[in-house]
Amino acid sequence: SHTMVCACFVWSTESLCVVSEGNASRTSSWRYGLLLGASAALGLATRPADGGLLGVGIFLYFAPALFKGRVSWRAFVGTLVGFLFFGGLTLIILRLQLGAWFQTGYTINTSFHPEAAMRLSWPNPNDMKSSLPIGPGSYCWWPVAPALGIAGLLRGLVGRERRVPFILVTSAIAHTAFYFLIEYGRWYDEGLGPRYFLPLVVPMAVGGAALLAPLVDNMRRRRFSLAARIRAAGPVALVALSVVYGVVRIGPLVYPVAQAEYRYSTRPFRAARTMGLKHAIVAVEPGRGTVHETNLAQNAPMDPNPDVLFLIRRSDADEACAREHFPGRTWYRAGTTETLTPY
């Protein structure tokens, strides 16, 4: 879902720049208007908080552009149609799933994760690193990095193309402020890293590209003098070496730790595969697995009769329900090792 939010953020920014050109063709106005509305709606549907906060910059640029007449009526109608179609479809699906209008899946989140209640607070000094994990550096996102991203976007703000830096910076500030204040997610990541801040990869990557692209373009244009091309290739080679050096330095510090944590948390899945289980139920009991039981109960949603059913067993009623609907299966219990215990 975090990756999808990043994609919707990129599509929204790109399409908004096209429809606000003022001289976009009829075809482009319709197409990119539809893309703008659809990506904005899908961003909200995927992760409501992320979609809404990343939409701050989109809206703050779209509204004045529309008022000043830089957005044609075709682009506006296309945006409206795309947003209403995907937004309405999402609302209907959520209504069928949750039984109430204007509710999301996060409404029932605390039923499974009481610790994930929406609480905002200023982080303590020892919480700062996890509340703003981008602060220590580029982390596993290298070669995109905060310093490169900020420098490139600031450079863009004083150039001819101010739209993209304005949208990305404004949206990133709103998004970062929210996750800086929210309490859940501090000091644990379940092997997935600071995924709540993943959309910041977009402004970091764009800013870094804006800063470094002129070096490559300068080298590409030096076609008539070998000496000039060699001189122009020097900065590009330095950047390439820096990228490689950063990967070599960061990789051994980050990826083995993430791999070890991920392999530990997925032990029950690998155990079921290694044992070649068929027509089985693996009971996942609170406090007895490698991670929270809701993260272990991963079943294919469209398969009504899977070979292995991972069942959260909190009470005898859960077991009785599973035995009634899936009779004759062999039962196992998940633990913290790569073996499953017969139930």
Side-chain angles (χ1 to χ4, degrees):
S1 61
H2 303 277
T3 308
M4 180 62 179
V5 165
C6 292
C8 291
F9 187 27
V10 172
W11 294 331
S12 298
T13 304
E14 171 96 12
S15 54
L16 177 55
C17 288
V18 174
V19 301
S20 63
E21 287 285 352
N23 58 352
S25 66
R26 294 180 179 181
T27 302
S28 294
S29 296
W30 281 115
R31 287 180 177 177
Y32 284 94
L34 288 169
L35 178 60
L36 174 58
S39 54
L42 289 172
L44 281 169
T46 304
R47 289 183 61 81
D50 288 15
L53 293 165
L54 294 173
V56 169
I58 302 291
F59 177 78
L60 289 179
Y61 188 83
F62 178 80
L66 179 65
F67 179 76
K68 294 178 181 179
R70 294 204 304 271
V71 178
S72 68
W73 69 266
R74 295 180 180 86
F76 175 74
V77 172
T79 301
L80 193 63
V81 169
F83 186 86
L84 291 178
F85 176 79
F86 285 99
L89 180 62
T90 301
L91 287 176
I92 293 173
I93 293 173
L94 290 172
R95 172 64 175 82
L96 295 173
Q97 290 179 329
L98 301 173
W101 287 105
F102 303 105
Q103 301 291 325
T104 72
Y106 292 96
T107 305
I108 60 175
N109 192 31
T110 53
S111 301
F112 306 97
H113 294 280
E115 73 281 0
M118 179 68 72
R119 290 188 295 267
L120 302 179
S121 67
W122 190 266
N124 296 319
N126 63 325
D127 293 328
M128 287 294 181
K129 183 176 180 179
S130 57
S131 296
L132 194 62
I134 199 174
S138 61
Y139 188 61
C140 60
W141 297 316
W142 179 261
V144 298
L148 290 176
I150 293 171
L153 292 176
L154 289 177
R155 182 176 182 272
L157 285 173
V158 298
R160 289 181 301 173
E161 178 52 73
R162 299 189 183 94
R163 297 171 302 177
V164 172
F166 172 81
I167 293 170
L168 296 184
V169 170
T170 306
S171 298
I173 290 174
H175 181 272
T176 303
F178 174 74
Y179 282 105
F180 179 77
L181 295 173
I182 200 165
E183 291 186 0
Y184 67 78
R186 292 177 184 171
W187 288 110
Y188 67 90
D189 57 34
E190 297 172 336
L192 301 178
R195 59 194 181 278
Y196 298 127
F197 289 89
L198 185 62
L200 296 181
V201 167
V202 176
M204 286 195 297
V206 173
L211 190 66
L212 300 177
L215 299 177
V216 179
D217 186 61
N218 183 53
M219 182 185 69
R220 184 178 60 86
R221 292 174 182 273
R222 301 296 181 93
R223 297 182 178 181
F224 303 106
S225 169
L226 178 60
R229 280 189 291 179
I230 293 176
R231 287 195 299 270
V236 177
L238 183 61
V239 169
L241 288 174
S242 300
V243 170
V244 173
Y245 176 75
V247 173
V248 172
R249 287 286 296 156
I250 295 172
L253 300 175
V254 173
Y255 296 114
V257 177
Q259 182 191 38
E261 186 169 356
Y262 188 74
R263 287 186 63 83
Y264 173 77
S265 64
T266 57
R267 281 178 175 177
F269 305 130
R270 295 201 311 278
R273 183 178 59 187
T274 301
M275 297 171 66
L277 297 185
K278 301 290 184 181
H279 202 62
I281 292 179
V282 177
V284 181
E285 298 172 314
R288 302 189 63 171
T290 52
V291 291
H292 196 278
E293 60 272 12
T294 56
N295 289 340
L296 288 176
Q298 299 182 20
N299 301 291
M302 303 304 291
D303 187 355
N305 192 34
D307 286 333
V308 181
L309 177 70
F310 288 87
L311 169 73
I312 298 176
R313 187 194 183 283
R314 292 194 174 107
S315 66
D316 293 339
D318 296 329
E319 180 177 338
C321 179
R323 291 188 182 277
E324 177 184 353
H325 291 281
F326 298 91
R329 290 191 171 222
T330 305
W331 282 66
Y332 296 86
R333 177 182 284 114
T336 58
T337 64
E338 293 197 23
T339 59
L340 301 174
T341 307
Y343 193 82

